[in-house]
Amino acid sequence: QVQLVESGGGLVQPGGSLRLSCAASGFILGYYAIGWFRQAPGKEREGVSCISSGGGSTYYSDSVKGRFTISRDNAKNTVYLQMNSLKPEDTAVYYCATEPAETGCSIATTLSYDYWGQGTQVTVSS
């Protein structure tokens, strides 16, 4: 059974950090680019970051550039999103998804992504 499971979300104060994990089961994560997306209440799902299948290419939205870092450990079938200097506007449900791209990745659209996790809630509040 193909499955993606996000974890690591929670409640954190502004300026704090969280590390999200996206663990895959039932398939080899290393064949896919992985994207992180988020959706706040009343807003559309937006791309946050992505990483190519081999890890050589990464992209970030302007809103998180310099604060978030995406990485992957294909041996552990897991992708991570390290989130530092968190702001209240980072509050959202965060999802990871697979993109069957041979090279590179893109967060411009969700349409190229096929498998999605169930999401993990991140709340940044004092």
Side-chain angles (χ1 to χ4, degrees), residues 78-119:
T78 303
V79 172
Y80 305 97
L81 185 68
Q82 177 67 43
M83 306 187 297
N84 298 329
S85 302
L86 283 161
K87 305 175 181 180
E89 51 263 43
D90 294 318
T91 296
V93 178
Y94 284 71
Y95 301 89
C96 64
T98 59
E99 183 182 35
E102 292 186 359
T103 59
C105 64
S106 173
I107 52 173
T109 175
T110 60
L111 297 179
S112 59
Y113 288 81
D114 42 20
Y115 295 113
W116 291 80
Q118 82 291 345

Side-chain angles (χ1 to χ4, degrees), residues 29-90:
L29 198 65
Y31 290 162
Y32 295 87
I34 301 298
W36 282 98
F37 294 80
R38 66 187 182 186
Q39 188 165 20
K43 295 188 177 181
E44 291 188 355
R45 192 168 296 189
E46 64 170 347
V48 174
S49 180
C50 67
I51 186 167
S52 60
S53 58
S57 296
T58 58
Y59 295 94
Y60 300 91
S61 67
D62 288 342
S63 61
V64 308
K65 198 172 297 181
R67 300 187 297 121
F68 290 11
T69 303
I70 192 170
S71 62
R72 67 190 302 156
D73 186 339
N74 285 343
K76 294 183 178 179
N77 235 22
T78 303
V79 172
Y80 305 97
L81 185 68
Q82 177 67 43
M83 306 187 297
N84 298 329
S85 302
L86 283 161
K87 305 175 181 180
E89 51 263 43
D90 294 318

